[in-house]
Structure formats: C-alpha cells, structure tokens
Amino acid sequence: MNDLVLGAAGLLVTCALGVLSWIQWSTSEKATARQREKEESARSRQRDVELTRWGNSVIELMAELEAECFPLAASAKSRSHVVETLAWRASALVDQGRLFFPNIGASDKSSGDRIGLLDEVIRATYVAQYVAAGRTEVDGKLLRAHVYSARKRFIKSLQERTRPALYEVNDSETGVRVPLDPRDWPQPSFERRVI
C-alpha cells in the first residue's frame, strides 16, 4: 500500500511538474511573440519615417524644378547648373525609391517593371535633364505644368501607400477654396504688432 501511495504521489508530482513546465513554456512563447510584434511594429514605424522623409525630398525637388522650368518672377531665368543638380538628385531619388518599392515581377530573366509611383519621379528626372541640356523645343510653361501634375500624382500615390499611417480627418475639417489673388481674401482677423 505504501508503494502505491508513493507511486501515486510520484505521478502527481510528475504531472504537476509537467503542467508547470507547460505554463512556463507557454508564457515564454507569448512573451517572445509580444517582443517580436513590438520589434516588427518599431521597424514598420521606422520604415514609415524613412518613406515620409524620402517622399518629402521628392516633393521639394519637384517644387524647385517647377520654378526652374518657368520662373514666375519676370527677371528670373532658369539656371542650367541648378537644374543639372536637380537632375542628378531626381535620379538618385528614383534609386532610393527602389529601396522601398522593388520592381514588380522581377526574376532571374527580367528586371521587372517599376511601380507607377516612381514614374512620376522619373518624369522629374527627364524634365530636369531636358532643361539642363538647354533644350527649348518644349515651352517652359508646359514643362512646369508637367512637373506640377507629376508632383500631384506622386503625392496622391504616396498617400494611398501610407494611408494607415495618415491622420484620420472628417468632413467638418474640410478647407475652403483660397483665392489666388490675396486682394480677394477677407480682412485678417489678427493684427500683428510692429514694434
């Protein structure tokens, strides 16, 4: 009888140790999974930051290129050395964009096709190269309009890609049309003191 009690006690202890081991393993696995999830979330946030930084650089370049294609100031002229710099910067931004957006359908036999978002940056590169070379077959005003349109398409496409990271806005936050001519604006609601 004593052996039976000892056997039952041993079995009970073994089962208890097995349950404790399973609980410890399960807790450890959950902690590891939570840690992996935190690390992935941090990498995703960092990727969003870097993508936003890259996108901002593209937007700034395109805005500067617009001004160089057809300066609005009557006395301003496009400066080919500035546009040449914009051309190589735009080319570099295309390659940097490939770090975020690899080619679609790439294989051992084909480099694949680039994502449409990068087409807009390529347009800026080509316009900058065209202007830097001193070519005048296409009107600067038209080139400016092409770059402006490419910038708008780029922004829309980038927003679609980063939609989960964008702030949520509702209809009550809709802006109003701002007239182009400041003379058509309402009087300022705040006065700035001049000392």
Side-chain angles (χ1 to χ4, degrees):
M1 175 89 167
N2 215 6
D3 288 339
L4 187 62
V5 171
L6 284 175
L11 180 62
L12 198 60
V13 168
T14 302
C15 286
L17 287 174
V19 168
L20 286 173
S21 295
W22 178 82
I23 290 172
Q24 185 178 17
W25 172 82
S26 178
T27 304
S28 172
E29 281 297 308
K30 287 178 185 175
T32 302
R34 278 193 303 272
Q35 183 62 31
R36 269 194 301 257
E37 193 175 292
K38 280 182 182 178
E39 289 170 0
E40 178 55 34
S41 178
R43 278 192 299 275
S44 179
R45 281 192 306 275
Q46 181 62 31
R47 195 172 34 249
D48 286 348
V49 166
E50 291 173 8
L51 179 60
T52 301
R53 195 173 291 141
W54 172 77
N56 287 337
S57 295
V58 171
I59 292 165
E60 287 175 14
L61 178 130
M62 288 181 166
E64 189 175 350
L65 180 57
E66 280 178 54
E68 289 296 330
C69 286
F70 187 77
L72 295 179
S75 63
K77 292 183 180 176
S78 181
R79 302 159 298 176
S80 62
H81 67 284
V82 171
V83 181
E84 188 167 347
T85 300
L86 291 174
W88 65 254
R89 281 182 45 218
S91 179
L93 286 168
V94 169
D95 290 338
Q96 290 169 13
R98 291 179 195 279
L99 298 175
F100 297 108
F101 307 109
N103 283 356
I104 300 165
S107 67
D108 293 340
K109 297 178 183 178
S110 168
S111 62
D113 299 312
R114 81 180 151 264
I115 186 169
L117 176 122
L118 292 177
D119 288 350
E120 306 309 335
V121 189
I122 292 217
R123 287 180 210 282
T125 303
Y126 292 168
V127 167
Q129 290 170 346
Y130 183 91
V131 173
R135 298 185 60 191
T136 57
E137 295 90 4
V138 177
D139 178 50
K141 198 172 189 176
L142 178 60
L143 291 174
R144 182 182 180 118
H146 278 302
V147 174
Y148 176 80
S149 295
R151 181 164 55 114
K152 293 303 175 195
R153 287 188 302 267
F154 174 81
I155 291 168
K156 183 178 182 206
S157 184
L158 191 60
Q159 283 178 330
E160 288 170 1
R161 289 239 160 235
T162 59
R163 177 104 21 238
L166 295 176
Y167 288 107
E168 292 294 321
V169 292
N170 58 47
D171 291 343
S172 68
E173 298 177 87
T174 302
V176 296
R177 296 269 182 224
V178 178
L180 218 46
D181 189 340
R183 294 174 296 177
D184 296 333
W185 297 353
Q187 287 298 314
S189 53
F190 298 100
E191 272 191 50
R192 182 181 173 124
R193 283 193 198 159
V194 179
I195 299 175

